[in-house]
Structure formats: structure tokens, C-alpha cells
């Protein structure tokens, strides 16, 4: 692995972590309308994706490799449909503006990971409701690894646009290192989601308990057994 590819991988990995930071800043309880919140998230995903694409590896004229597929699958998995669509639009426009022989494969690298992420979100993250303990970490890694491997395989379908030699140059870093970076970010994002819904459950149970306590016809006191102070 030459220095340029290594620097690009490290830069992309750092930028991918900003997705997790973004995810932690936009919980569902923010005092914004649903569509406005999703729009801001989508614009932010687009900005991060553009930065990732800017830190690319150029193999030949118009043939570039970066972590855009990881950005899009993570967006589909955790941010949902609206942010993913909004985030994908500037990435597609940027890839078209770069031009070269790899435009069509480059757009596919944006669209297919986004679709896979959205399908997983619908099938797993939403159906599990708040019980996300059933989603194992290895599932996240295998999903991202399989998607990235699929993206590399798809490149071989365009031999006239992406030379096999160019694919062989970056195939190992794309399959080995980018999925690992995406996996670490996805674990952090899943933890954020789990913590959020756990706090929601605690608040809900506290409200139910207080309602039951306050509606009781019998006077009830909660007393500290040490200080004998009335707590409630």
C-alpha cells in the first residue's frame, strides 16, 4: 500500500467518525419539525460525503476511489430515507462533475450502498423496535464488508471504464480497511441509539410510576430509611 492510499484511508476514517458525532447531535426529541430535522441531517451527510470524496485516491484520469459507499450505507442504516436521499444528491453531482470513465460506476457506488442500508434499517433496526440488543456487532461488520465487496465486484462489470489493474491496486484496502472503519462507526452509532431509547424507556416508566403513585387514593410517603426524610 503506497503512502497516498494510506493517507486517504486515514482521512476517510476520521471523516466517517463525524457521522457518529452528527448522529448523536440529532436525537428525535430535538425541538425541530420532523422534516426540518431530517433535512439538516441530510445536508450534513452530504457535506461529510463530499469531504470523503475530496480525499480520494486517483488511479487514472477520472477513476477515483474513496469511502463514499461507507458514508451512504451508514446513512441508510441510521439516518433513514430522507437524509440519505438529500445526502446522496450532492455526491452524485460531484461525481458527475469530476467526469472521466468512472462516472457510472462511481454513481453506482453511491446508490447501491444507500439502498442496502435502507433495506437493513427497515428489516432490522425498525422491526426490533427498542430491543436493539438482538442486533449483534458482527452483523454490522458482515453487512458493511459484504456491501463493500459487492461494490468491488461490480467494478469488474465495467472493464472498459475501470481497468482491472486499477481495481487490483485498491481492492485490498477497499475490502480490508474501509469496512473496518465503517464497522467502528456503526457500533458507536448503534450504542447511541440504544442509549437514547433506554433513556426514553426510563422516562416513560418514571411517568407511569408517578401517575400510579399520585392517583392512589391512599396517602403514601417515600421516606429515606437513614435520615427519615420524606422524599415524595
Amino acid at each position: 500500500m503506497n503512502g497516498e492510499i494510506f493517507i486517504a484511508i486515514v482521512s476517510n476514517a476520521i471523516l466517517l467518525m463525524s457521522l457518529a458525532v452528527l448522529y448523536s447531535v440529532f436525537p428525535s426529541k430535538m425541538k425541530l419539525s420532523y422534516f426540518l430535522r431530517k433535512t439538516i441531517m441530510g445536508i450534513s451527510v452530504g457535506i461529510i460525503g463530499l469531504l470523503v470524496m475530496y480525499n480520494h485516491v486517483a488511479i487514472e484520469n477520472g477513476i477515483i476511489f474513496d469511502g463514499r459507499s461507507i458514508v451512504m450505507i451508514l446513512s441508510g442504516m441510521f439516518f433513514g430515507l430522507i437524509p440519505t436521499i438529500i445526502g446522496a444528491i450532492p455526491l452524485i453531482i460531484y461525481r458527475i462533475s469530476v467526469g472521466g470513465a468512472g462516472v457510472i460506476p462511481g454513481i453506482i457506488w453511491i446508490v447501491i450502498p444507500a439502498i442496502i442500508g435502507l433495506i437493513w434499517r427497515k428489516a432490522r433496526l425498525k422491526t426490533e423496535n427498542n430491543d436493539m440488543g438482538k442486533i449483534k456487532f458482527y452483523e454490522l461488520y458482515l453487512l458493511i464488508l459484504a456491501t463493500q465487496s459487492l461494490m468491488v465486484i461490480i467494478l469488474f462489470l465495467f472493464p472498459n471504464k475501470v481497468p482491472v489493474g486499477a481495481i487490483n491496486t485498491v481492492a485490498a484496502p477497499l475490502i480490508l480497511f474501509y469496512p473496518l472503519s465503517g464497522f467502528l462507526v456503526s457500533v458507536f452509532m448503534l450504542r447511541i441509539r440504544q442509549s437514547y431509547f433506554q433513556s426514553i424507556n426510563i422516562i416513560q416508566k418514571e411517568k407511569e410510576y408517578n401517575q400510579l403513585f399520585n392517583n392512589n387514593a391512599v396517602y403514601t410517603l417515600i421516606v429515606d430509611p437513614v435520615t427519615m426524610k420524606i422524599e415524595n
Side-chain angles (χ1 to χ4, degrees), residues 3-16:
E4 183 182 2
I5 296 177
F6 177 77
I7 292 174
I9 291 174
V10 173
S11 301
N12 279 195
I14 294 173
L15 289 169
L16 286 171

Side-chain angles (χ1 to χ4, degrees), residues 17-61:
M17 282 303 300
S18 60
L19 281 174
V21 176
L22 172 65
Y23 191 64
S24 66
V25 171
F26 286 94
S28 299
K29 61 183 179 181
M30 284 190 68
K31 295 181 179 180
L32 295 173
S33 68
Y34 174 83
F35 184 76
L36 178 58
R37 179 165 52 85
K38 291 291 185 178
T39 300
I40 296 174
M41 291 167 64
I43 293 173
S44 301
V45 168
I47 293 173
I48 294 172
L50 289 174
L51 292 174
V52 167
M53 292 183 69
Y54 182 77
N55 288 275
H56 61 258
V57 176
I59 304 300
E60 296 181 15
N61 184 32

